[in-house]
Amino acid sequence: MRSAVEREVGRGIEYHAAIGSTQDRARELADEGATRGIVVADAQSAGRGTHGRSWLAPKGTSLLASWIVRPAPGAPALFVAFAGVAVARALEGLVRANALLKWPNDVLLDGRKVAGTLANATSAGDGGVLVLGIGVNVHQRDFPAEIRDRATSLALAGHTVDRLALLARLTTELDHVERPEERERALEEWRRRSMQMGKAVEVRVSGRAPLRGVAIAIDDDGALVLETDHGTERVVAGEVVLA
Ligand code: BTN
């Protein structure tokens, strides 16, 4: 029988007290043919972030979840950005928090990262499947010294949030931004919440000279568009900092 949250979000939720990575488990389920579904964990021993980094979260502190999205949205990188919009909307709806977004996948509160989104997409004849992972720092009261000046949690920002309520609200918002007819509105909200739009930025990609320009748009495929001294440049990867 489905739980109340499963009924609310209209799909199955596989819960793990501890797992390697919800992302890997959701990919397994997707490869076995699951069409929708969410994998949630209270703790991950091998949580993954972008650029091969680890995603660390002490047990019980965070929302750690992966959503199976089938068919995969046409532009996974744009969907990752829209997932940030969904997180921001969920936080605004639940606790009136005003989150900003940092391309490609960071959600910020008070200038510090409170959540990150991650996509793993495959394409196939059936339209492919995307596994979207989101980690939200909810109850942390402190962070390891290496990230203390860059990370925050909802608790540190003064918000008390129930993780199940956040899961349900976030799923509703993700369903929303996934709809083609909502695309323009999501794009507009991404621009409005972006802490980089209209600002001078520097893009750092290892092994290459930094690229400087003004962030002017996010493209249809999720690339960040910069106006540089040498014309318009599209950025598909790299670390973007304010210049
Ligand atoms: C980032 O680097 O900002 C993306 C972080 C994504 C972390 C989430 S936590 C749930 C899911 N499972 C993982 O292993 N990673 C994602």
Side-chain angles (χ1 to χ4, degrees):
M1 205 176 80
R2 285 196 162 186
S3 69
V5 187
E6 286 178 313
R7 285 199 300 276
E8 188 177 343
V9 299
R11 72 203 73 177
I13 299 174
E14 187 179 285
Y15 169 76
H16 296 263
I19 196 172
S21 159
T22 59
Q23 202 71 356
D24 294 342
R25 176 60 187 148
R27 169 53 60 190
E28 253 172 42
L29 292 172
D31 290 347
E32 286 164 10
T35 48
R36 304 289 268 182
I38 310 170
V39 179
V40 183
D42 205 31
Q44 298 183 123
S45 56
R48 293 197 279 110
T50 40
H51 306 300
R53 295 187 188 122
S54 302
W55 184 263
L56 301 174
K59 185 173 174 59
T61 59
S62 302
L63 176 65
L64 306 167
S66 296
W67 286 256
I68 298 169
V69 184
R70 190 195 298 268
L78 189 63
F79 189 63
V80 166
F82 286 178
V85 171
V87 175
R89 285 179 177 168
L91 297 182
E92 185 157 320
L94 287 172
V95 289
R96 304 217 149 277
N98 184 25
L100 295 185
L101 302 174
K102 177 171 177 259
W103 186 92
N105 66 334
D106 293 359
V107 181
L108 310 178
L109 271 186
D110 306 330
R112 293 171 184 218
K113 182 159 174 168
V114 71
T117 62
L118 177 72
N120 166 264
T122 54
S123 50
D126 62 355
V129 57
L130 179 135
V131 174
L132 175 77
I134 300 183
V136 185
N137 301 329
V138 178
H139 298 307
Q140 284 94 333
R141 284 278 163 201
D142 198 8
F143 286 91
E146 321 82 80
I147 57 167
R148 195 168 289 147
D149 59 339
R150 287 177 280 131
T152 193
S153 68
L154 293 171
L156 286 171
H159 305 295
T160 305
V161 175
D162 174 72
R163 287 181 293 162
L164 264 189
L166 180 57
L167 176 71
R169 185 67 182 244
L170 187 45
T171 304
T172 304
E173 298 294 354
L174 285 170
D175 287 352
H176 220 82
V177 295
E178 195 189 326
R179 292 190 204 135
E181 67 274 20
E182 287 295 325
R183 191 172 175 284
E184 280 313 308
R185 209 193 304 253
L187 255 180
E188 192 277 318
E189 185 160 354
W190 187 88
R191 284 192 209 102
R192 183 169 62 75
R193 289 188 184 269
S194 163
M195 44 89 67
Q196 294 147 326
M197 276 305 98
K199 305 253 172 65
V201 298
E202 183 175 289
V203 183
R204 297 171 186 165
V205 178
S206 71
R208 285 213 232 138
L211 176 69
R212 281 177 169 241
V214 174
I216 55 168
I218 186 172
D219 232 343
D220 283 351
D221 60 357
L224 187 68
V225 184
L226 300 191
E227 195 67 67
T228 75
D229 289 346
H230 313 288
T232 303
E233 296 268 1
R234 283 165 32 85
V235 179
V236 293
E239 195 195 343
V240 180
V241 296
L242 293 179

